[in-house]
Amino acid sequence: MALSYAIPTVFFIVGAMRLKSPKTARTGMWWIAMGMIVGVGGTVLLHPDIPWGLTIAVMAIGSGLGVFIAKRVKMTAMPQMVAVFNGMGGGGAALVALDSLGHFRSLGAFAALIATITLVIGSISFSGSSIAFLKLQEWLHGPRLSRTVQATMTGLGLLLLLSLVSLRIANQPVPGLAIWIMIAAVFEGVMLVIPIGGADMPVVISMLNALTGLAAAATGFLISNNVLIVAGALVGASGTILTQQMSRAMNRSLRHILFSSLAQSGTGTPGHGDLDGTMIEASHEDVAMLLTYSRNIIVVPGFGLAASRAQQEVRQLMEKLAGHQVGVKFAIHPVAGRMPGHMNVLLAEANIPYDRLFEMDAINQEFKDADVALVIGANDVTNPAAKTEPNSPLFGMPVLNVDQAKKVIVLKRGKNPGFSGVDNPLYTRSHTSMLFGDAKDSLGKLIQAIE
Amino acid sequence: MSNHLITEGYIFILAMFVGFLLISKIPPILHTPLMSATNAIHGVVLIGALSLLTWTHGTVDLTIALVAVFFSTLNVVGGFVVTDRILGMFHVRSDGEQ
């Protein structure tokens, strides 16, 4: 029987090894899923006294709903869905802990401590993920709390949470204590995520993922089950790595994102002088001509592309240009989407082969040899001021070397600066031409002009 | 009992190391499927929720445990199905295409 817990562990690790390459990743995921089935099956065999009818009914409803959501969700909405599932995992862990704490006498002091930790982490992950979902879905816009109010409420909440937890550790018989701890932790989760804005979402999603992993591992300690410990540790490690990589790609520390997100909004003064130069507007025909006479083009997609649902048009353009012997590559910045790796999935969904997608470090040297850099709905990640202007708020953020291409074409919705409010001096350079308008529209006209 | 806990601590720390080594090798192109796969993995709390069901007494306890089962099943099943869907979208260029 213990084997049914050893096998899943091996399956999880083999599966994670196979996630290294797009060719083996799909089977890798099935290794992990098999591990899960063996683990759950083993639990079921070990505990024959479960109320079967109810449990199977609940699991059937859960699976049905899970499959339904997973089949229907749009790839642009993946971050929301990850947030929902994160919340479910965290909530599940919190409820397991809550139920264990309910059995007050049967738990030793140490087990009670672990249960309390599980309850706190799980609840924070549940409410934080719920808020992240609401914000990503744009059903909730951050309430305009002043920074002091925000900090005070978070601080008081933390104080309350800590005192409730210490009451629990001191083994004080307060009625409903576990419920109060849960409520305080839920409140902290809300306060933590509510001030964080859209561009920081890749970091927040990764962090909540890591947190839920730790909640699962804590549940493993609570019920003395190694499968949960190993699985939770893997998720925790993965979430931590992604959190680090995402904050590095935005050149912002995690602390900065979590605690000073309100301070940075609306600062866009540095770099303003550069935009006194005029932007050169090009016609679709000119750009079409330029593209067909180029030998190699690097496309730089940003979230603006996904927002106007222009992925199919990008693929059509790529195919049309292939007919003119033009090589097209895609340069993907780590934070081009709303979650880690998001842009790759959005382009893969539009049938753009993944061997044309290049990460920033792999392609940054190639811009200087590129005939044209075609920027579609990306802004801050192309801003050369991040390399050269110490006064720029973006200074130090790794950016794509778009400015080194022989010619730069920027497809942009309007003349406003981007999400961060920082001007982009790329736009006024003499070798840059602008195509204003909706990305889908502009690309459609480009394709027509090429024909 | 405390020996047991120390062993579990070892396992946790070793698994963290293995996780760091394995996951840092995964290229950024696969970060979304990685995240949705790990997202499914933490639904492993389903095992916790199921084992809870064996010693729940009373309606409140049972309800809490069943909600936990519901949450984590949704998490596991949905997570794997969507990861498979994403990974199915990654293609290499077809033959003959430049």
Side-chain angles (χ1 to χ4, degrees):
Chain A
M1 278 303 169
L3 213 57
S4 70
Y5 288 151
I7 293 169
T9 310
V10 175
F11 276 41
F12 287 162
I13 291 175
V14 172
M17 283 163 77
R18 296 184 66 85
L19 286 182
K20 266 192 310 203
S21 137
K23 287 191 196 85
T24 55
R26 206 170 183 184
T27 53
M29 193 219 72
W30 282 108
W31 274 84
I32 297 172
M34 283 305 139
M36 192 68 77
I37 290 170
V38 174
V40 172
T43 315
V44 165
L45 294 177
L46 277 171
H47 302 286
D49 45 349
I50 291 175
W52 282 114
L54 268 176
T55 309
I56 290 175
V58 167
M59 286 178 76
I61 299 172
S63 310
L65 194 59
V67 172
F68 179 77
I69 299 175
K71 292 267 184 204
R72 295 287 296 272
V73 68
K74 291 206 175 77
M75 284 300 129
T76 39
M78 262 311 286
Q80 287 94 305
M81 209 202 57
V82 166
V84 169
F85 289 162
N86 241 326
M88 296 289 112
L95 291 176
V96 171
L98 183 69
D99 235 2
S100 315
L101 280 168
H103 296 260
F104 196 74
R105 280 169 215 89
S106 60
L107 279 184
F110 206 86
L113 176 64
I114 292 171
T116 311
I117 293 172
T118 313
L119 181 62
V120 171
I121 302 178
S123 306
I124 291 180
S125 150
F126 174 73
S127 59
S129 303
S130 311
I131 298 294
F133 165 76
L134 292 174
K135 296 195 90 161
L136 284 161
Q137 192 76 12
E138 295 182 352
W139 288 350
L140 178 82
H141 301 276
R144 299 249 163 255
L145 292 177
S146 80
R147 219 175 142 208
T148 18
V149 174
Q150 156 84 25
T152 318
M153 283 174 77
T154 313
L156 284 178
L158 187 65
L159 210 64
L160 177 70
L161 182 60
L162 287 177
S163 32
L164 288 172
V165 168
S166 29
L167 276 181
R168 185 64 191 81
I169 293 169
N171 223 345
Q172 294 296 316
V174 181
L177 184 53
I179 301 270
W180 287 113
I181 294 177
M182 191 165 168
I183 293 172
V186 163
F187 177 77
E188 273 307 281
V190 172
M191 294 312 290
L192 206 61
V193 179
I194 218 161
I196 298 175
D200 288 333
M201 274 303 167
V203 181
V204 177
I205 291 283
S206 315
M207 192 194 68
L208 289 168
N209 192 231
L211 209 59
T212 311
L214 293 181
T219 313
F221 280 102
L222 178 63
I223 63 167
S224 291
N225 186 315
N226 293 337
V227 180
L228 272 75
I229 296 178
V230 171
L234 285 178
V235 180
S238 156
T240 309
I241 288 176
L242 292 176
T243 309
Q244 281 173 346
Q245 290 191 359
M246 291 298 110
S247 16
R248 205 176 303 142
M250 297 201 299
N251 192 36
R252 301 185 57 195
S253 71
L254 187 59
R255 203 172 56 84
H256 189 241
I257 291 167
L258 289 179
F259 300 113
S260 56
S261 34
L262 288 176
Q264 51 96 42
S265 58
T267 55
T269 29
H272 221 78
D274 290 320
L275 282 200
D276 290 344
T278 43
M279 299 189 214
I280 303 162
E281 242 184 289
S283 72
H284 296 96
E285 288 73 23
D286 293 343
V287 175
M289 183 85 84
L290 174 73
L291 293 180
T292 45
Y293 283 103
S294 303
R295 267 184 307 113
N296 52 54
I297 293 175
I298 300 179
V299 177
V300 179
F303 200 72
L305 171 99
S308 80
R309 297 165 201 276
Q311 296 97 302
Q312 293 298 339
E313 280 75 10
V314 172
R315 181 183 48 86
Q316 287 167 17
L317 180 70
M318 179 188 85
E319 284 167 357
K320 284 273 174 291
L321 288 172
H324 288 83
Q325 317 303 323
V326 184
V328 180
K329 288 178 175 178
F330 291 82
I332 314 236
H333 193 277
V335 291
R338 283 281 182 272
M339 69 183 285
H342 196 191
M343 187 54 69
N344 297 293
V345 174
L346 295 177
L347 295 178
E349 188 188 22
N351 275 322
I352 294 171
Y354 65 77
D355 53 359
R356 295 199 182 224
L357 312 179
F358 294 86
E359 303 310 327
M360 177 166 61
D361 295 335
I363 203 165
N364 245 350
Q365 287 80 8
E366 293 188 29
F367 275 102
K368 58 182 188 303
D369 302 318
D371 294 320
V372 179
L374 183 64
V375 180
I376 309 174
N379 186 1
D380 293 339
V381 298
T382 64
N383 196 329
K387 291 182 288 185
T388 54
E389 290 286 336
N391 297 326
S392 168
L394 296 176
F395 185 70
M397 171 173 159
V399 290
L400 293 161
N401 294 330
V402 172
D403 54 322
Q404 294 176 0
K406 293 185 189 101
K407 192 89 183 111
V408 181
I409 306 292
V410 180
L411 269 65
K412 198 168 172 342
R413 198 172 187 84
K415 295 187 185 184
N416 307 329
F419 190 86
S420 68
V422 183
D423 286 336
N424 193 339
L426 178 72
Y427 301 158
T428 51
R429 298 215 169 165
S430 56
H431 66 316
T432 305
S433 303
M434 310 292 291
L435 263 185
F436 289 111
D438 180 67
K440 197 182 174 81
D441 265 15
S442 298
L443 286 169
K445 285 178 190 157
L446 274 180
I447 294 167
Q448 268 182 8
I450 289 174
E451 283 168 349
Chain B
M1 194 59 203
S2 67
N3 268 341
H4 198 58
L5 195 77
I6 290 168
T7 315
E8 286 174 353
Y10 271 131
I11 291 176
F12 177 71
I13 292 167
L14 290 176
M16 275 300 250
F17 275 117
V18 172
F20 275 116
L21 288 175
L22 288 180
I23 308 290
S24 52
K25 286 203 185 110
I26 294 175
I29 184 176
L30 288 174
H31 276 172
T32 292
L34 165 68
M35 181 159 270
S36 85
T38 56
N39 200 27
I41 294 174
H42 61 52
V44 73
V45 290
L46 173 60
I47 293 179
L50 285 175
S51 46
L52 201 63
L53 278 170
T54 59
W55 39 278
T56 45
H57 303 289
T59 331
V60 180
D61 266 12
L62 184 67
T63 314
I64 294 177
L66 285 177
V67 174
V69 169
F70 173 74
F71 276 5
S72 41
T73 315
L74 180 70
N75 181 180
V76 173
V77 176
F80 281 128
V81 171
V82 83
T83 308
D84 188 57
R85 212 182 118 201
I86 296 174
L87 288 170
M89 290 173 187
F90 284 92
H91 300 291
V92 213
R93 71 186 77 176
S94 48
D95 297 328
E97 205 189 331
Q98 237 312 305

